Amino acid sequence: MAVGSGTYLAALITTLIVYVSLVYLFKFENTVSRKKRLQYLNVQMDDRPGQLGLVCSTLGDLEVNLKRVELIKENPSNNVIQMEMLIKIPTRLEFTEIISALENLSGVHKVTIE
């Protein structure tokens, strides 16, 4: 509208303001969204040889980065352990994809993301 009434300078300044705002807001949004991609993942699974490797290999195939891993055996009488992990999820990956991939593994009982 400003260009049609002859105020080219106002139109140019407005365009530059919008362009700069969009570029910097995009960078800010990416920075904030990267921080949100850190999540806690809890997996209850059988306590048997190779089970930990199977879960970690599946996460590696999905390009999920493990930041911290803790194994907890709440009841020594049963063969179930809980693995609590802090993971960094790639931006292209949804939480549901991780949960379904892990739940499809034999020996995995329950998967939750906090």
Side-chain angles (χ1 to χ4, degrees):
M1 297 300 280
V3 175
S5 64
T7 53
Y8 292 105
L9 183 60
L12 181 63
I13 291 172
T14 303
T15 303
L16 287 175
I17 290 172
V18 169
Y19 177 76
V20 169
S21 297
L22 288 174
V23 167
Y24 285 107
L25 287 176
F26 176 75
K27 290 180 181 179
F28 176 73
E29 180 182 11
N30 282 342
T31 302
V32 170
S33 69
R34 271 189 234 127
K35 290 180 182 176
K36 289 183 180 179
R37 302 305 286 187
L38 284 175
Q39 294 289 325
Y40 283 98
L41 177 69
N42 294 318
V43 180
Q44 280 186 347
M45 59 187 173
D46 290 339
D47 186 11
R48 65 175 188 210
Q51 189 67 40
L52 176 63
L54 184 62
V55 170
C56 291
S57 293
T58 301
L59 292 174
D61 291 342
L62 295 172
E63 298 178 4
V64 173
N65 190 4
L66 299 174
K67 296 293 189 179
R68 183 177 29 199
V69 177
E70 183 177 350
L71 295 174
I72 301 168
K73 186 155 187 159
E74 295 173 356
N75 188 357
S77 64
N78 67 8
N79 285 337
V80 176
I81 60 171
Q82 181 170 334
M83 185 165 67
E84 293 181 355
M85 298 171 279
L86 179 63
I87 60 173
K88 184 173 183 183
I89 303 169
T91 53
R92 62 163 180 75
L93 192 63
E94 295 296 324
F95 301 128
T96 55
E97 293 176 70
I98 297 170
I99 292 172
S100 66
L102 291 175
E103 285 179 339
N104 289 332
L105 296 176
S106 67
V108 173
H109 303 288
K110 183 178 177 184
V111 180
T112 57
I113 290 184
E114 297 175 5

